[in-house]
Amino acid sequence: MEQGQGITLDEEWNTKQKSILINFLESLLDEIQDEGNRMFIHSLQEKLKKGETLNIFDQFIKNEVSYLVEEVLAKK
């Protein structure tokens, strides 16, 4: 692909995945009452929005949530 001609399909897919995950985390914030869990989810959501590097635990949680989202989408 010539530079300056848009994004690759891979980049587009990664962007959409990230957006879906961030929206899913937002919906979790609406449902979760425990303040500690809410703070963790909000922190993870902000790191994803900013493109920050995740620590091992954050990455594990992100992967687990991503797998759950993929399963739900696959059933549709």
PDB file of all heavy atoms in Angstrom, residues 16-32 41 44-45 48 61-62 64-70 72-73:
ATOM      1  N   LYS A  16     -10.898  -1.414  15.398  1.00  0.00           N
ATOM      2  CA  LYS A  16     -12.280  -1.810  15.706  1.00  0.00           C
ATOM      3  C   LYS A  16     -12.327  -2.684  16.958  1.00  0.00           C
ATOM      4  O   LYS A  16     -13.218  -2.518  17.791  1.00  0.00           O
ATOM      5  CB  LYS A  16     -12.911  -2.519  14.523  1.00  0.00           C
ATOM      6  CG  LYS A  16     -13.152  -1.591  13.355  1.00  0.00           C
ATOM      7  CD  LYS A  16     -14.345  -2.007  12.555  1.00  0.00           C
ATOM      8  CE  LYS A  16     -14.515  -1.150  11.345  1.00  0.00           C
ATOM      9  NZ  LYS A  16     -15.121   0.128  11.624  1.00  0.00           N
ATOM     10  N   GLN A  17     -11.367  -3.618  17.077  1.00  0.00           N
ATOM     11  CA  GLN A  17     -11.311  -4.470  18.269  1.00  0.00           C
ATOM     12  C   GLN A  17     -11.137  -3.624  19.518  1.00  0.00           C
ATOM     13  O   GLN A  17     -11.794  -3.854  20.532  1.00  0.00           O
ATOM     14  CB  GLN A  17     -10.148  -5.463  18.175  1.00  0.00           C
ATOM     15  CG  GLN A  17     -10.475  -6.744  17.493  1.00  0.00           C
ATOM     16  CD  GLN A  17      -9.323  -7.717  17.628  1.00  0.00           C
ATOM     17  OE1 GLN A  17      -8.176  -7.375  17.412  1.00  0.00           O
ATOM     18  NE2 GLN A  17      -9.637  -8.929  17.981  1.00  0.00           N
ATOM     19  N   LYS A  18     -10.234  -2.661  19.452  1.00  0.00           N
ATOM     20  CA  LYS A  18      -9.967  -1.788  20.587  1.00  0.00           C
ATOM     21  C   LYS A  18     -11.229  -1.002  20.940  1.00  0.00           C
ATOM     22  O   LYS A  18     -11.586  -0.881  22.108  1.00  0.00           O
ATOM     23  CB  LYS A  18      -8.807  -0.856  20.248  1.00  0.00           C
ATOM     24  CG  LYS A  18      -8.432   0.109  21.337  1.00  0.00           C
ATOM     25  CD  LYS A  18      -7.251   0.954  20.889  1.00  0.00           C
ATOM     26  CE  LYS A  18      -7.022   2.123  21.776  1.00  0.00           C
ATOM     27  NZ  LYS A  18      -5.940   2.978  21.292  1.00  0.00           N
ATOM     28  N   SER A  19     -11.925  -0.489  19.952  1.00  0.00           N
ATOM     29  CA  SER A  19     -13.140   0.282  20.172  1.00  0.00           C
ATOM     30  C   SER A  19     -14.225  -0.578  20.823  1.00  0.00           C
ATOM     31  O   SER A  19     -14.899  -0.129  21.759  1.00  0.00           O
ATOM     32  CB  SER A  19     -13.631   0.846  18.846  1.00  0.00           C
ATOM     33  OG  SER A  19     -14.837   1.527  19.021  1.00  0.00           O
ATOM     34  N   ILE A  20     -14.388  -1.794  20.340  1.00  0.00           N
ATOM     35  CA  ILE A  20     -15.385  -2.704  20.917  1.00  0.00           C
ATOM     36  C   ILE A  20     -15.053  -2.997  22.369  1.00  0.00           C
ATOM     37  O   ILE A  20     -15.922  -2.970  23.242  1.00  0.00           O
ATOM     38  CB  ILE A  20     -15.481  -4.009  20.095  1.00  0.00           C
ATOM     39  CG1 ILE A  20     -16.124  -3.729  18.743  1.00  0.00           C
ATOM     40  CG2 ILE A  20     -16.264  -5.078  20.854  1.00  0.00           C
ATOM     41  CD1 ILE A  20     -16.045  -4.886  17.772  1.00  0.00           C
ATOM     42  N   LEU A  21     -13.775  -3.253  22.649  1.00  0.00           N
ATOM     43  CA  LEU A  21     -13.347  -3.553  24.013  1.00  0.00           C
ATOM     44  C   LEU A  21     -13.583  -2.362  24.937  1.00  0.00           C
ATOM     45  O   LEU A  21     -14.107  -2.521  26.046  1.00  0.00           O
ATOM     46  CB  LEU A  21     -11.873  -3.960  24.019  1.00  0.00           C
ATOM     47  CG  LEU A  21     -11.274  -4.321  25.372  1.00  0.00           C
ATOM     48  CD1 LEU A  21     -12.057  -5.468  26.018  1.00  0.00           C
ATOM     49  CD2 LEU A  21      -9.813  -4.688  25.217  1.00  0.00           C
ATOM     50  N   ILE A  22     -13.237  -1.169  24.488  1.00  0.00           N
ATOM     51  CA  ILE A  22     -13.440   0.033  25.302  1.00  0.00           C
ATOM     52  C   ILE A  22     -14.930   0.238  25.582  1.00  0.00           C
ATOM     53  O   ILE A  22     -15.318   0.544  26.715  1.00  0.00           O
ATOM     54  CB  ILE A  22     -12.807   1.264  24.624  1.00  0.00           C
ATOM     55  CG1 ILE A  22     -11.281   1.154  24.673  1.00  0.00           C
ATOM     56  CG2 ILE A  22     -13.291   2.561  25.274  1.00  0.00           C
ATOM     57  CD1 ILE A  22     -10.548   2.168  23.818  1.00  0.00           C
ATOM     58  N   ASN A  23     -15.781   0.045  24.585  1.00  0.00           N
ATOM     59  CA  ASN A  23     -17.230   0.179  24.788  1.00  0.00           C
ATOM     60  C   ASN A  23     -17.763  -0.883  25.734  1.00  0.00           C
ATOM     61  O   ASN A  23     -18.651  -0.608  26.555  1.00  0.00           O
ATOM     62  CB  ASN A  23     -17.962   0.122  23.450  1.00  0.00           C
ATOM     63  CG  ASN A  23     -17.714   1.351  22.619  1.00  0.00           C
ATOM     64  OD1 ASN A  23     -17.428   2.418  23.133  1.00  0.00           O
ATOM     65  ND2 ASN A  23     -17.802   1.205  21.309  1.00  0.00           N
ATOM     66  N   PHE A  24     -17.231  -2.097  25.624  1.00  0.00           N
ATOM     67  CA  PHE A  24     -17.643  -3.169  26.523  1.00  0.00           C
ATOM     68  C   PHE A  24     -17.266  -2.823  27.964  1.00  0.00           C
ATOM     69  O   PHE A  24     -18.067  -3.010  28.883  1.00  0.00           O
ATOM     70  CB  PHE A  24     -17.014  -4.493  26.098  1.00  0.00           C
ATOM     71  CG  PHE A  24     -17.422  -5.647  26.967  1.00  0.00           C
ATOM     72  CD1 PHE A  24     -18.670  -6.220  26.824  1.00  0.00           C
ATOM     73  CD2 PHE A  24     -16.562  -6.145  27.926  1.00  0.00           C
ATOM     74  CE1 PHE A  24     -19.061  -7.280  27.631  1.00  0.00           C
ATOM     75  CE2 PHE A  24     -16.941  -7.212  28.731  1.00  0.00           C
ATOM     76  CZ  PHE A  24     -18.189  -7.773  28.590  1.00  0.00           C
ATOM     77  N   LEU A  25     -16.050  -2.333  28.152  1.00  0.00           N
ATOM     78  CA  LEU A  25     -15.621  -1.942  29.497  1.00  0.00           C
ATOM     79  C   LEU A  25     -16.507  -0.824  30.041  1.00  0.00           C
ATOM     80  O   LEU A  25     -16.830  -0.810  31.231  1.00  0.00           O
ATOM     81  CB  LEU A  25     -14.152  -1.514  29.489  1.00  0.00           C
ATOM     82  CG  LEU A  25     -13.143  -2.630  29.247  1.00  0.00           C
ATOM     83  CD1 LEU A  25     -11.739  -2.057  29.095  1.00  0.00           C
ATOM     84  CD2 LEU A  25     -13.183  -3.683  30.332  1.00  0.00           C
ATOM     85  N   GLU A  26     -16.920   0.081  29.170  1.00  0.00           N
ATOM     86  CA  GLU A  26     -17.829   1.160  29.588  1.00  0.00           C
ATOM     87  C   GLU A  26     -19.154   0.585  30.079  1.00  0.00           C
ATOM     88  O   GLU A  26     -19.700   1.031  31.094  1.00  0.00           O
ATOM     89  CB  GLU A  26     -18.074   2.133  28.432  1.00  0.00           C
ATOM     90  CG  GLU A  26     -18.899   3.340  28.802  1.00  0.00           C
ATOM     91  CD  GLU A  26     -18.180   4.273  29.754  1.00  0.00           C
ATOM     92  OE1 GLU A  26     -16.954   4.415  29.656  1.00  0.00           O
ATOM     93  OE2 GLU A  26     -18.865   4.864  30.608  1.00  0.00           O
ATOM     94  N   SER A  27     -19.665  -0.424  29.384  1.00  0.00           N
ATOM     95  CA  SER A  27     -20.929  -1.040  29.817  1.00  0.00           C
ATOM     96  C   SER A  27     -20.748  -1.780  31.141  1.00  0.00           C
ATOM     97  O   SER A  27     -21.673  -1.828  31.953  1.00  0.00           O
ATOM     98  CB  SER A  27     -21.490  -1.964  28.737  1.00  0.00           C
ATOM     99  OG  SER A  27     -20.694  -3.108  28.582  1.00  0.00           O
ATOM    100  N   LEU A  28     -19.559  -2.339  31.365  1.00  0.00           N
ATOM    101  CA  LEU A  28     -19.296  -2.978  32.659  1.00  0.00           C
ATOM    102  C   LEU A  28     -19.334  -1.949  33.784  1.00  0.00           C
ATOM    103  O   LEU A  28     -19.832  -2.235  34.876  1.00  0.00           O
ATOM    104  CB  LEU A  28     -17.931  -3.674  32.656  1.00  0.00           C
ATOM    105  CG  LEU A  28     -17.821  -5.002  31.949  1.00  0.00           C
ATOM    106  CD1 LEU A  28     -16.389  -5.524  32.031  1.00  0.00           C
ATOM    107  CD2 LEU A  28     -18.782  -6.030  32.526  1.00  0.00           C
ATOM    108  N   LEU A  29     -18.798  -0.775  33.521  1.00  0.00           N
ATOM    109  CA  LEU A  29     -18.808   0.275  34.539  1.00  0.00           C
ATOM    110  C   LEU A  29     -20.234   0.633  34.949  1.00  0.00           C
ATOM    111  O   LEU A  29     -20.473   0.996  36.100  1.00  0.00           O
ATOM    112  CB  LEU A  29     -18.085   1.526  34.037  1.00  0.00           C
ATOM    113  CG  LEU A  29     -16.565   1.436  33.980  1.00  0.00           C
ATOM    114  CD1 LEU A  29     -15.990   2.675  33.312  1.00  0.00           C
ATOM    115  CD2 LEU A  29     -15.972   1.249  35.363  1.00  0.00           C
ATOM    116  N   ASP A  30     -21.167   0.519  34.016  1.00  0.00           N
ATOM    117  CA  ASP A  30     -22.569   0.806  34.317  1.00  0.00           C
ATOM    118  C   ASP A  30     -23.182  -0.249  35.232  1.00  0.00           C
ATOM    119  O   ASP A  30     -24.148   0.029  35.935  1.00  0.00           O
ATOM    120  CB  ASP A  30     -23.397   0.901  33.034  1.00  0.00           C
ATOM    121  CG  ASP A  30     -23.009   2.088  32.175  1.00  0.00           C
ATOM    122  OD1 ASP A  30     -22.405   3.049  32.709  1.00  0.00           O
ATOM    123  OD2 ASP A  30     -23.304   2.053  30.962  1.00  0.00           O
ATOM    124  N   GLU A  31     -22.620  -1.462  35.204  1.00  0.00           N
ATOM    125  CA  GLU A  31     -23.208  -2.585  35.933  1.00  0.00           C
ATOM    126  C   GLU A  31     -22.519  -2.890  37.265  1.00  0.00           C
ATOM    127  O   GLU A  31     -23.151  -3.391  38.181  1.00  0.00           O
ATOM    128  CB  GLU A  31     -23.166  -3.847  35.065  1.00  0.00           C
ATOM    129  CG  GLU A  31     -23.942  -3.733  33.774  1.00  0.00           C
ATOM    130  CD  GLU A  31     -25.430  -3.553  33.992  1.00  0.00           C
ATOM    131  OE1 GLU A  31     -25.979  -4.154  34.929  1.00  0.00           O
ATOM    132  OE2 GLU A  31     -26.041  -2.791  33.228  1.00  0.00           O
ATOM    133  N   ILE A  32     -21.244  -2.638  37.372  1.00  0.00           N
ATOM    134  CA  ILE A  32     -20.472  -3.050  38.546  1.00  0.00           C
ATOM    135  C   ILE A  32     -20.626  -2.028  39.666  1.00  0.00           C
ATOM    136  O   ILE A  32     -20.459  -0.821  39.447  1.00  0.00           O
ATOM    137  CB  ILE A  32     -18.990  -3.248  38.167  1.00  0.00           C
ATOM    138  CG1 ILE A  32     -18.874  -4.441  37.219  1.00  0.00           C
ATOM    139  CG2 ILE A  32     -18.127  -3.446  39.403  1.00  0.00           C
ATOM    140  CD1 ILE A  32     -17.492  -4.714  36.721  1.00  0.00           C
ATOM    141  N   ILE A  41     -11.356  -1.243  36.246  1.00  0.00           N
ATOM    142  CA  ILE A  41     -11.892  -1.247  34.879  1.00  0.00           C
ATOM    143  C   ILE A  41     -11.702   0.125  34.233  1.00  0.00           C
ATOM    144  O   ILE A  41     -11.311   0.222  33.070  1.00  0.00           O
ATOM    145  CB  ILE A  41     -13.376  -1.678  34.872  1.00  0.00           C
ATOM    146  CG1 ILE A  41     -13.466  -3.164  35.221  1.00  0.00           C
ATOM    147  CG2 ILE A  41     -14.025  -1.400  33.521  1.00  0.00           C
ATOM    148  CD1 ILE A  41     -14.858  -3.658  35.472  1.00  0.00           C
ATOM    149  N   LEU A  44      -8.040   0.486  33.281  1.00  0.00           N
ATOM    150  CA  LEU A  44      -7.743  -0.306  32.085  1.00  0.00           C
ATOM    151  C   LEU A  44      -8.305   0.373  30.844  1.00  0.00           C
ATOM    152  O   LEU A  44      -7.628   0.481  29.815  1.00  0.00           O
ATOM    153  CB  LEU A  44      -8.313  -1.721  32.232  1.00  0.00           C
ATOM    154  CG  LEU A  44      -8.117  -2.669  31.060  1.00  0.00           C
ATOM    155  CD1 LEU A  44      -6.629  -2.833  30.728  1.00  0.00           C
ATOM    156  CD2 LEU A  44      -8.762  -4.016  31.356  1.00  0.00           C
ATOM    157  N   GLN A  45      -9.503   0.863  30.942  1.00  0.00           N
ATOM    158  CA  GLN A  45     -10.151   1.559  29.824  1.00  0.00           C
ATOM    159  C   GLN A  45      -9.334   2.783  29.404  1.00  0.00           C
ATOM    160  O   GLN A  45      -9.102   3.007  28.213  1.00  0.00           O
ATOM    161  CB  GLN A  45     -11.559   1.954  30.237  1.00  0.00           C
ATOM    162  CG  GLN A  45     -12.384   2.561  29.143  1.00  0.00           C
ATOM    163  CD  GLN A  45     -13.737   2.997  29.651  1.00  0.00           C
ATOM    164  OE1 GLN A  45     -13.869   3.463  30.777  1.00  0.00           O
ATOM    165  NE2 GLN A  45     -14.747   2.838  28.826  1.00  0.00           N
ATOM    166  N   LEU A  48      -6.151   1.804  27.581  1.00  0.00           N
ATOM    167  CA  LEU A  48      -6.438   1.385  26.211  1.00  0.00           C
ATOM    168  C   LEU A  48      -6.710   2.586  25.316  1.00  0.00           C
ATOM    169  O   LEU A  48      -6.241   2.650  24.183  1.00  0.00           O
ATOM    170  CB  LEU A  48      -7.631   0.428  26.187  1.00  0.00           C
ATOM    171  CG  LEU A  48      -7.390  -0.946  26.805  1.00  0.00           C
ATOM    172  CD1 LEU A  48      -8.700  -1.698  26.949  1.00  0.00           C
ATOM    173  CD2 LEU A  48      -6.394  -1.734  25.989  1.00  0.00           C
ATOM    174  N   ILE A  61      -6.187  -9.516  31.791  1.00  0.00           N
ATOM    175  CA  ILE A  61      -7.609  -9.157  31.871  1.00  0.00           C
ATOM    176  C   ILE A  61      -8.121  -8.716  30.511  1.00  0.00           C
ATOM    177  O   ILE A  61      -9.208  -9.111  30.079  1.00  0.00           O
ATOM    178  CB  ILE A  61      -7.847  -8.062  32.935  1.00  0.00           C
ATOM    179  CG1 ILE A  61      -7.458  -8.556  34.324  1.00  0.00           C
ATOM    180  CG2 ILE A  61      -9.287  -7.564  32.894  1.00  0.00           C
ATOM    181  CD1 ILE A  61      -8.234  -9.775  34.815  1.00  0.00           C
ATOM    182  N   LYS A  62      -7.352  -7.897  29.809  1.00  0.00           N
ATOM    183  CA  LYS A  62      -7.737  -7.446  28.468  1.00  0.00           C
ATOM    184  C   LYS A  62      -7.955  -8.637  27.550  1.00  0.00           C
ATOM    185  O   LYS A  62      -8.952  -8.706  26.822  1.00  0.00           O
ATOM    186  CB  LYS A  62      -6.674  -6.531  27.881  1.00  0.00           C
ATOM    187  CG  LYS A  62      -6.959  -6.115  26.452  1.00  0.00           C
ATOM    188  CD  LYS A  62      -5.738  -5.437  25.843  1.00  0.00           C
ATOM    189  CE  LYS A  62      -5.875  -5.249  24.367  1.00  0.00           C
ATOM    190  NZ  LYS A  62      -5.621  -6.424  23.579  1.00  0.00           N
ATOM    191  N   GLU A  64      -8.662 -11.775  28.374  1.00  0.00           N
ATOM    192  CA  GLU A  64      -9.838 -12.541  28.797  1.00  0.00           C
ATOM    193  C   GLU A  64     -11.130 -11.849  28.364  1.00  0.00           C
ATOM    194  O   GLU A  64     -12.045 -12.498  27.854  1.00  0.00           O
ATOM    195  CB  GLU A  64      -9.828 -12.750  30.318  1.00  0.00           C
ATOM    196  CG  GLU A  64      -8.744 -13.686  30.804  1.00  0.00           C
ATOM    197  CD  GLU A  64      -8.878 -15.081  30.224  1.00  0.00           C
ATOM    198  OE1 GLU A  64      -9.980 -15.670  30.283  1.00  0.00           O
ATOM    199  OE2 GLU A  64      -7.860 -15.598  29.715  1.00  0.00           O
ATOM    200  N   VAL A  65     -11.205 -10.541  28.541  1.00  0.00           N
ATOM    201  CA  VAL A  65     -12.398  -9.799  28.128  1.00  0.00           C
ATOM    202  C   VAL A  65     -12.540  -9.869  26.611  1.00  0.00           C
ATOM    203  O   VAL A  65     -13.641 -10.061  26.088  1.00  0.00           O
ATOM    204  CB  VAL A  65     -12.346  -8.340  28.632  1.00  0.00           C
ATOM    205  CG1 VAL A  65     -13.455  -7.506  28.014  1.00  0.00           C
ATOM    206  CG2 VAL A  65     -12.420  -8.293  30.151  1.00  0.00           C
ATOM    207  N   SER A  66     -11.428  -9.746  25.901  1.00  0.00           N
ATOM    208  CA  SER A  66     -11.469  -9.821  24.431  1.00  0.00           C
ATOM    209  C   SER A  66     -12.000 -11.168  23.963  1.00  0.00           C
ATOM    210  O   SER A  66     -12.791 -11.246  23.023  1.00  0.00           O
ATOM    211  CB  SER A  66     -10.076  -9.579  23.838  1.00  0.00           C
ATOM    212  OG  SER A  66      -9.671  -8.261  24.061  1.00  0.00           O
ATOM    213  N   TYR A  67     -11.560 -12.244  24.611  1.00  0.00           N
ATOM    214  CA  TYR A  67     -12.050 -13.578  24.247  1.00  0.00           C
ATOM    215  C   TYR A  67     -13.550 -13.686  24.470  1.00  0.00           C
ATOM    216  O   TYR A  67     -14.272 -14.257  23.646  1.00  0.00           O
ATOM    217  CB  TYR A  67     -11.335 -14.675  25.042  1.00  0.00           C
ATOM    218  CG  TYR A  67      -9.849 -14.751  24.799  1.00  0.00           C
ATOM    219  CD1 TYR A  67      -8.978 -15.063  25.833  1.00  0.00           C
ATOM    220  CD2 TYR A  67      -9.293 -14.498  23.542  1.00  0.00           C
ATOM    221  CE1 TYR A  67      -7.601 -15.131  25.621  1.00  0.00           C
ATOM    222  CE2 TYR A  67      -7.927 -14.563  23.323  1.00  0.00           C
ATOM    223  CZ  TYR A  67      -7.085 -14.882  24.369  1.00  0.00           C
ATOM    224  OH  TYR A  67      -5.735 -14.944  24.166  1.00  0.00           O
ATOM    225  N   LEU A  68     -14.028 -13.139  25.591  1.00  0.00           N
ATOM    226  CA  LEU A  68     -15.464 -13.178  25.871  1.00  0.00           C
ATOM    227  C   LEU A  68     -16.247 -12.384  24.830  1.00  0.00           C
ATOM    228  O   LEU A  68     -17.299 -12.832  24.358  1.00  0.00           O
ATOM    229  CB  LEU A  68     -15.745 -12.637  27.272  1.00  0.00           C
ATOM    230  CG  LEU A  68     -15.259 -13.493  28.432  1.00  0.00           C
ATOM    231  CD1 LEU A  68     -15.415 -12.737  29.749  1.00  0.00           C
ATOM    232  CD2 LEU A  68     -15.989 -14.819  28.482  1.00  0.00           C
ATOM    233  N   VAL A  69     -15.746 -11.217  24.467  1.00  0.00           N
ATOM    234  CA  VAL A  69     -16.413 -10.392  23.457  1.00  0.00           C
ATOM    235  C   VAL A  69     -16.442 -11.128  22.125  1.00  0.00           C
ATOM    236  O   VAL A  69     -17.470 -11.160  21.436  1.00  0.00           O
ATOM    237  CB  VAL A  69     -15.731  -9.014  23.324  1.00  0.00           C
ATOM    238  CG1 VAL A  69     -16.252  -8.258  22.114  1.00  0.00           C
ATOM    239  CG2 VAL A  69     -15.927  -8.196  24.594  1.00  0.00           C
ATOM    240  N   GLU A  70     -15.325 -11.751  21.743  1.00  0.00           N
ATOM    241  CA  GLU A  70     -15.268 -12.508  20.487  1.00  0.00           C
ATOM    242  C   GLU A  70     -16.280 -13.648  20.479  1.00  0.00           C
ATOM    243  O   GLU A  70     -16.935 -13.897  19.469  1.00  0.00           O
ATOM    244  CB  GLU A  70     -13.862 -13.054  20.261  1.00  0.00           C
ATOM    245  CG  GLU A  70     -12.863 -12.002  19.831  1.00  0.00           C
ATOM    246  CD  GLU A  70     -11.469 -12.546  19.702  1.00  0.00           C
ATOM    247  OE1 GLU A  70     -11.286 -13.778  19.603  1.00  0.00           O
ATOM    248  OE2 GLU A  70     -10.530 -11.729  19.690  1.00  0.00           O
ATOM    249  N   VAL A  72     -19.125 -13.799  22.148  1.00  0.00           N
ATOM    250  CA  VAL A  72     -20.464 -13.223  22.037  1.00  0.00           C
ATOM    251  C   VAL A  72     -20.722 -12.812  20.587  1.00  0.00           C
ATOM    252  O   VAL A  72     -21.787 -13.076  20.028  1.00  0.00           O
ATOM    253  CB  VAL A  72     -20.620 -12.031  22.996  1.00  0.00           C
ATOM    254  CG1 VAL A  72     -21.881 -11.245  22.682  1.00  0.00           C
ATOM    255  CG2 VAL A  72     -20.625 -12.511  24.434  1.00  0.00           C
ATOM    256  N   LEU A  73     -19.752 -12.159  19.961  1.00  0.00           N
ATOM    257  CA  LEU A  73     -19.921 -11.716  18.573  1.00  0.00           C
ATOM    258  C   LEU A  73     -20.040 -12.888  17.615  1.00  0.00           C
ATOM    259  O   LEU A  73     -20.772 -12.811  16.636  1.00  0.00           O
ATOM    260  CB  LEU A  73     -18.767 -10.799  18.155  1.00  0.00           C
ATOM    261  CG  LEU A  73     -18.710  -9.442  18.857  1.00  0.00           C
ATOM    262  CD1 LEU A  73     -17.461  -8.679  18.439  1.00  0.00           C
ATOM    263  CD2 LEU A  73     -19.955  -8.627  18.578  1.00  0.00           C
TER     264      LEU A  73
END
